[in-house]
Amino acid sequence: LYKELNLVKDKENVAVTYFAIAKVYTQLNNLQKAKICLDSGLTISKGNKNVFLLKNKYDALKDYYKTTKDYKSAYEISEKLNATDDSIARIKHIAKFEKMDIQNEFEKQEIKILHLEEKNKLQSQSLSRLQWLIIMALVSVAAMSVFLYFLYKYNQNIKKLN
């Protein structure tokens, strides 16, 4: 943990690391070093409202107060820890619902895209049918024109013969 303390750059993670070290010292019953680490973490995290940092802070303090047999402070901190855990659970639920909303919106957009692709496909089929119809009409007009031309020439030849 001390090596990690030298690696982390932002104050939040430094405070979290100090609280973790304090918990270890508390479990080892080295309360003097635990208190130093707690004080360092508290100083660094002063004024920070990040609930995840608060959870680490309250957890370390609760263990420290229980070990020092300051049960009143341990109880007060436990109450704050429970409130923080509730906040974290609320944040996770909100994030879960937001994720579901995003997935739902994504699925709607996918359906919309599929619908538009199908519409484009039908329009292109319709366009190709229209193109074939125009081509057939032009071929028919051309064939009719050729037929009428030959009919006209035939009639002219018959008039000359008569």
Side-chain angles (χ1 to χ4, degrees):
L1 287 171
Y2 277 116
K3 285 180 182 178
E4 179 183 328
L5 195 58
N6 292 325
L7 294 174
V8 292
K9 302 290 184 217
D10 62 286
K11 288 183 178 181
E12 217 169 84
N13 286 330
V14 171
V16 168
T17 305
Y18 271 123
F19 294 137
I21 294 170
K23 278 189 72 137
V24 170
Y25 280 135
T26 300
Q27 290 172 356
L28 295 172
N29 215 18
N30 189 339
L31 299 179
Q32 188 177 17
K33 285 187 177 182
K35 179 72 171 134
I36 292 169
C37 290
L38 277 172
D39 290 341
S40 297
L42 291 172
T43 302
I44 292 170
S45 68
K46 196 171 211 159
N48 193 317
K49 300 293 183 196
N50 181 323
V51 289
F52 297 101
L53 176 61
L54 290 174
K55 178 181 174 32
N56 286 313
K57 171 181 159 181
Y58 294 147
D59 198 30
L61 283 170
K62 179 190 68 143
D63 286 353
Y64 176 79
Y65 288 136
K66 278 180 20 182
T67 305
T68 60
K69 297 189 183 350
D70 184 356
Y71 296 115
K72 181 181 178 194
S73 296
Y75 177 76
E76 290 170 359
I77 293 296
S78 290
E79 291 294 314
K80 289 180 180 180
L81 180 61
N82 288 339
T84 304
D85 284 340
D86 290 345
S87 294
I88 290 171
R90 224 174 299 118
I91 289 169
K92 286 180 179 177
H93 283 333
I94 289 170
K96 185 177 180 181
F97 285 120
E98 286 176 350
K99 180 181 176 185
M100 288 170 50
D101 283 344
I102 290 169
Q103 285 176 330
N104 187 24
E105 190 62 35
F106 181 74
E107 288 172 1
K108 282 181 184 178
Q109 293 300 326
E110 279 185 329
I111 290 170
K112 200 179 213 181
I113 289 169
L114 290 174
H115 176 71
L116 288 173
E117 286 174 348
E118 189 65 30
K119 188 176 178 181
N120 284 342
K121 185 178 175 183
L122 289 173
Q123 283 179 343
S124 69
Q125 287 176 351
S126 174
L127 186 60
S128 73
R129 285 182 188 152
L130 181 62
Q131 288 170 340
W132 273 106
L133 186 63
I134 291 171
I135 290 170
M136 293 304 286
L138 289 175
V139 167
S140 297
V141 167
M144 187 71 100
S145 297
V146 168
F147 175 75
L148 289 175
Y149 174 76
F150 283 114
L151 185 64
Y152 173 75
K153 284 291 187 180
Y154 176 76
N155 281 338
Q156 287 232 339
N157 284 338
I158 290 197
K159 279 184 187 178
K160 277 186 185 178
L161 286 174
N162 286 335

